[in-house]
């Protein structure tokens, strides 16, 4: 092989090696880059990752309140939804999502969630309907609540709330995991997907009044066990177990 042929071969090899190296150092395309969690601003992604597990896909049919329910969106304003999403509800499974409260989401991401949830609202659905307030305007009375419960709720949940056509609404574990406000939402909104009507339709043509809603919630709250998770109230435990406290 001549010197010229040798030089040509070496140059070809160098060129091939250079091309191969360049192919491994090429900058990744924008589509393949990983986005920082703090930069995610897509509502569907944020909702699916943080909310859908409890509130259901598209805000429906989850274990917790249906965020897409027209009644909920009509009585809960943006500030309320933002506060709950940011700091959660202490003492319940609803966690804080804002970084300022120990969560993982930025304030901008909380805003994305609020605006996305609000986009599900349909003002025409409840046009002309007199709505109860989100928060109780006055404290309820448990004794009046017991009577209101028997009138409006016992046909499904039984006269003492322990179950009938529908499940128990006084189950100790359930009451230990829900706030009074969530009980209020359950009374007002119902669980339409499970056949539980809202406050207007427990008795046809006779919606619960604002005060009756508060009274029922007060009665339900009064059924909470002193020691959550125990099957009996303390007074019963004293008689049957020799005073376990």
């Amino acid at each position: 092989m001549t010197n010229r042929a040798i030089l040509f071969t070496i140059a070809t090899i160098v060129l091939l090696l250079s091309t191969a190296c360049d192919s491994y150092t090429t900058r990744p395309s924008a589509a393949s880059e990983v986005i920082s969690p703090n930069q995610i601003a897509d509502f569907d992604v944020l909702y699916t990752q943080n909310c859908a597990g409890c509130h259901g896909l598209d805000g429906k049919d989850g274990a917790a309140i249906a965020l897409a329910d027209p009644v909920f969106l009509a009585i809960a304003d943006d500030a309320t939804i933002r506060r709950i999403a940011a700091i959660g509800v202490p003492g319940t499974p609803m966690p804080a999502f804002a970084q300022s409260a120990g969560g993982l989401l930025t304030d901008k991401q909380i805003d994305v969630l609020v605006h996305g949830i609000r986009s599900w609202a349909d003002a025409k659905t409840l046009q002309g309907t007199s709505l109860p307030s989100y928060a109780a305007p006055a404290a309820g009375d448990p004794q009046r609540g017991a009577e209101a419960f028997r009138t409006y709720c016992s046909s499904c949940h039984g006269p003492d709330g322990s179950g009938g056509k529908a499940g128990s609404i006084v189950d100790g574990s359930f009451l230990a995991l829900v706030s009074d406000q969530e009980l209020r939402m359950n009374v007002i909104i119902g669980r339409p997907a499970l056949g539980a009507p809202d406050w207007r339709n427990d008795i046809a043509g006779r919606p619960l009044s604002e005060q009756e809603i508060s009274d029922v919630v007060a009665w339900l709250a009064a059924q909470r066990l002193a020691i959550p998770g125990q099957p009996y109230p303390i007074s019963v435990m004293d008689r049957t177990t020799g005073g376990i406290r």
Side-chain angles (χ1 to χ4, degrees):
M1 180 180 292
T2 65
N3 290 340
R4 185 174 180 178
I6 293 173
L7 291 174
F8 178 78
T9 301
I10 293 173
T12 301
I13 293 173
V14 170
L15 179 62
L16 290 173
L17 289 175
S18 176
T19 303
C21 289
D22 286 344
S23 68
Y24 285 103
T25 58
T26 301
R27 182 179 181 81
S29 65
S32 67
E33 291 184 11
V34 177
I35 300 174
S36 166
N38 285 348
Q39 300 303 314
I40 296 174
D42 181 86
F43 169 70
D44 290 335
V45 173
L46 290 172
Y47 180 86
T48 299
Q49 291 180 344
N50 298 282
C51 313
C54 290
H55 296 284
L57 295 174
D58 300 323
K60 301 174 183 177
D61 303 333
I65 290 172
L67 298 179
D69 186 276
V71 177
F72 171 76
L73 291 172
I75 65 177
D77 58 20
D78 286 12
T80 297
I81 298 173
R82 180 177 287 103
R83 172 176 54 78
I84 295 172
I87 67 173
V89 181
T92 77
M94 176 63 195
F97 283 105
Q99 291 180 354
S100 58
L104 298 175
L105 302 183
T106 66
D107 289 343
K108 289 184 178 179
Q109 289 173 320
I110 296 292
D111 287 340
V112 170
L113 284 174
V114 173
H115 295 151
I117 291 169
R118 177 60 64 196
S119 71
W120 289 330
D122 182 359
K124 296 180 180 179
T125 303
L126 297 166
Q127 200 166 24
T129 301
S130 179
L131 296 167
S133 58
Y134 176 81
D141 178 87
Q143 291 185 332
R144 291 198 307 261
E147 181 59 34
F149 183 90
R150 284 191 291 269
T151 300
Y152 290 97
C153 313
S154 62
S155 61
C156 288
H157 294 288
D160 61 354
S162 61
K165 290 188 294 185
S168 171
I169 199 70
V170 294
D171 179 81
S173 296
F174 167 72
L175 290 175
L177 292 172
V178 296
S179 65
D180 287 3
Q181 181 61 44
E182 187 168 353
L183 289 174
R184 182 177 177 82
M185 289 296 94
N186 283 328
V187 173
I188 295 174
I189 297 172
R191 294 298 297 272
L194 300 177
D198 62 29
W199 90 104
R200 298 168 295 180
N201 298 304
D202 289 300
I203 298 177
R206 187 181 170 186
L208 278 86
S209 68
E210 186 85 71
Q211 187 60 55
E212 285 173 326
I213 292 169
S214 296
D215 291 342
V216 169
V217 171
W219 180 78
L220 289 170
Q223 309 312 305
R224 286 193 178 99
L225 299 178
I227 304 177
Q230 295 292 345
Y232 306 106
I234 289 180
S235 59
V236 175
M237 292 171 64
D238 288 343
R239 294 197 299 271
T240 59
T241 64
I244 294 176
R245 292 186 179 274

